[in-house]
Amino acid sequence: GQNIDQPTEMTATEGAIVQINCTYQTSGFNGLFWYQQHAGEAPTFLSYNVLDGLEEKGRFSSFLSRSKGYSYLLLKELQMKDSASYLCAVDRPFKAAGNKLTFGGGTRVLVKP
Amino acid sequence: GAVVSQHPSWVICKSGTSVKIECRSLDFQATTMFWYRQFPKQSLMLMATSNEGSKATYEQGVEKDKFLINHASLTLSTLTVTSAHPEDSSFYICSARAVEGNQPQHFGDGTRLSIL
């Protein structure tokens, strides 16, 4: 089976930093995505890591270690609007064409004033 | 702007009705589109993979006769929930991905289906 684990909930204060960890064990790996999903809305793309290391994009950074089956999403200078669920998804080969995503359970982040 | 369009956004209908949901890729061709279902406070569950010009591939436990998928062109996939019942009420989301390179899956805005 495919296992993708991330914490269920995290709480942080506005202006602070939060790190959301994701560990995975999957059959096949092409890369790892992070998505943000606000309640009642569809997910929006945040980052995609293929190679080991840190990818920085504004206040958000994502890290990948393929040998450890580990990734994290780092949110800096937290704002109230960052309260959302953050989904870790592994990109895996798919027989028919291209790849498909397997999602973790999501981490609900609550930002408090 | 949106790269994947999903329609309708909301559907409320009586039990026994069949409901069709459309998913279009706007700026790119997608040989493969994906259909997900999401229950409250849960993560996305992949239902099926829609392949242009061929049969969809369904995940284990998803009834293919209940959830009909048609991917007739490189920019359009449809999901039809046949004879919907209250337990089919959920948030249905499609996604599509460009064929070229390491591109992210882009999601439609989702369809909230409520069966009375």
Side-chain angles (χ1 to χ4, degrees):
Chain A
Q2 318 300 325
N3 292 311
I4 303 174
D5 295 316
Q6 49 181 130
T8 305
E9 288 187 357
M10 301 181 75
T11 302
T13 306
E14 192 175 14
I17 298 173
V18 70
Q19 177 175 314
I20 306 169
N21 295 325
C22 173
T23 58
Y24 62 89
Q25 289 179 305
T26 59
S27 56
F29 180 89
N30 289 328
L32 190 142
F33 286 95
W34 284 96
Y35 286 86
Q36 180 191 59
Q37 186 179 26
H38 285 98
E41 299 180 9
T44 55
F45 168 74
L46 290 179
S47 68
Y48 181 44
N49 292 70
V50 178
L51 302 176
D52 286 358
L54 187 68
E55 296 274 346
E56 296 188 79
K57 194 182 291 186
R59 294 189 299 114
F60 293 178
S61 303
S62 58
F63 172 83
L64 175 67
S65 169
R66 294 180 67 148
S67 62
K68 295 181 179 179
Y70 168 70
S71 172
Y72 68 73
L73 179 69
L74 194 69
L75 314 180
K76 303 175 188 175
E77 301 170 18
L78 279 173
Q79 302 175 9
M80 298 299 291
K81 67 179 182 179
D82 297 330
S83 292
S85 286
Y86 292 85
L87 308 176
C88 168
V90 171
D91 194 20
R92 298 190 296 123
F94 179 55
K95 59 180 181 180
N99 310 315
K100 70 174 181 179
L101 295 183
T102 301
F103 282 87
T107 299
R108 286 193 296 278
V109 172
L110 176 62
V111 180
K112 294 186 173 180
Chain B
V3 296
V4 174
S5 171
Q6 186 173 340
H7 178 81
S9 300
W10 287 82
V11 179
I12 302 174
C13 58
K14 294 180 180 179
S15 184
T17 307
S18 291
V19 178
K20 180 186 280 189
I21 304 170
E22 292 188 349
C23 182
R24 295 179 185 274
S25 57
L26 299 181
D27 301 325
F28 59 94
Q29 293 183 333
T31 54
T32 306
M33 292 184 178
F34 302 89
W35 288 97
Y36 297 85
R37 182 167 52 182
Q38 186 176 36
F39 292 105
K41 296 189 177 181
Q42 294 186 21
S43 191
L44 281 76
M45 184 191 78
L46 180 65
M47 298 175 66
T49 302
S50 170
N51 305 299
E52 188 267 335
S54 64
K55 292 182 179 179
T57 304
Y58 289 81
E59 296 297 304
Q60 193 172 8
V62 178
E63 300 174 55
K64 61 181 180 181
D65 295 329
K66 173 76 173 176
F67 300 99
L68 300 178
I69 291 173
N70 183 27
H71 194 154
S73 77
L74 287 171
T75 59
L76 174 64
S77 175
T78 60
L79 168 69
T80 301
V81 184
T82 61
S83 187
H85 292 284
E87 58 267 27
D88 298 322
S89 298
S90 187
F91 190 46
Y92 291 86
I93 312 173
C94 74
S95 72
R97 188 174 190 176
V99 177
E100 307 77 36
N102 291 323
Q103 299 296 317
Q105 276 192 28
H106 291 284
F107 288 84
D109 288 337
T111 298
R112 191 159 303 282
L113 177 62
S114 295
I115 308 298
L116 305 177

